[in-house]
């Protein structure tokens, strides 16, 4: 989380919740968690989200991919899943890429296109219903 303002993650979570999304899960590896532990953002995440702390970055990627596969979860991330997927021959980036919603950081704030998020969610729900 480079060059983020202190309130940028909080503002992002509020923006997502104001758009009507309720179940927000934050997946974070222990190294990152201990960097922010005790800070206001950690308390905010604990109050507003379900936090899953993994032992390593690879375990965090694995957990996120499980959420995608099992629940069709949308993932807001600027991380590259390609490097992780290359390590696992059973995975295909093509299978998960439509679930990953990128964001940018400008002037310390996280920019996320909420309308894109809604559109992707609608498309994914429609695809799941069509499979039934």
């Amino acid at each position: 989380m480079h060059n983020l303002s202190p309130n940028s993650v909080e503002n992002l979570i509020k923006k997502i919740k104001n758009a009507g999304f309720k179940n927000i899960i934050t997946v974070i590896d222990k190294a990152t968690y201990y960097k922010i532990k005790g800070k206001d953002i950690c308390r905010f995440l604990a109050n507003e989200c379900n936090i899953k702390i993994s032992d390593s970055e690879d375990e965090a990627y694995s957990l996120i991919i499980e959420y995608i596969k099992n629940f069709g979860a949308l993932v807001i991330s600027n991380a590259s899943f390609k490097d992780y997927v290359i390590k696992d021959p059973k995975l295909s980036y093509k299978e998960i890429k439509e679930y990953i919603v990128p964001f940018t950081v400008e002037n310390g704030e996280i920019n996320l296109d909420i309308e894109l998020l809604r559109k992707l969610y609608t498309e994914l729900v429609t695809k799941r219903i069509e499979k039934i």
Side-chain angles (χ1 to χ4, degrees):
M1 297 189 176
H2 304 288
N3 302 319
L4 294 179
S5 73
N7 298 324
S8 60
V9 174
E10 185 175 327
N11 292 340
L12 175 64
I13 300 293
K14 286 178 181 177
K15 185 188 268 190
I16 293 167
K17 285 192 168 200
N18 287 339
F21 294 92
K22 293 179 178 31
N23 297 321
I24 300 173
I25 299 170
T26 301
V27 178
I28 190 167
D29 63 86
K30 279 185 181 177
T32 304
Y33 175 76
Y34 286 118
K35 286 179 190 174
I36 65 168
K37 188 176 181 184
K39 295 183 180 174
D40 289 340
I41 187 59
C42 202
R43 283 187 283 285
F44 175 81
L45 289 173
N47 289 332
E48 297 294 325
C49 306
N50 183 347
I51 299 177
K52 302 289 183 188
I53 302 170
S54 64
D55 287 331
S56 67
E57 189 176 86
D58 280 352
E59 188 179 296
Y61 281 128
S62 179
L63 183 58
I64 291 167
I65 290 170
E66 287 303 312
Y67 277 112
I68 290 171
K69 287 177 160 183
N70 294 329
F71 306 108
L74 288 175
V75 177
I76 298 168
S77 178
N78 65 348
S80 172
F81 283 76
K82 287 181 181 179
D83 293 338
Y84 177 77
V85 171
I86 289 170
K87 294 178 189 177
D88 188 340
K90 296 177 281 182
L91 284 176
S92 163
Y93 183 69
K94 188 176 169 181
E95 292 176 68
I96 65 166
K97 72 178 182 178
E98 64 187 1
Y99 294 89
I100 300 169
V101 182
F103 67 84
T104 59
V105 177
E106 270 182 50
N107 299 322
E109 288 299 314
I110 299 171
N111 294 319
L112 175 71
D113 185 342
I114 291 295
E115 290 309 312
L116 174 62
L117 184 63
R118 284 185 175 133
K119 179 181 182 277
L120 291 172
Y121 178 75
T122 302
E123 288 173 1
L124 292 171
V125 168
T126 302
K127 284 180 187 177
R128 289 191 94 129
I129 290 171
E130 288 171 355
K131 287 181 181 180
I132 296 176

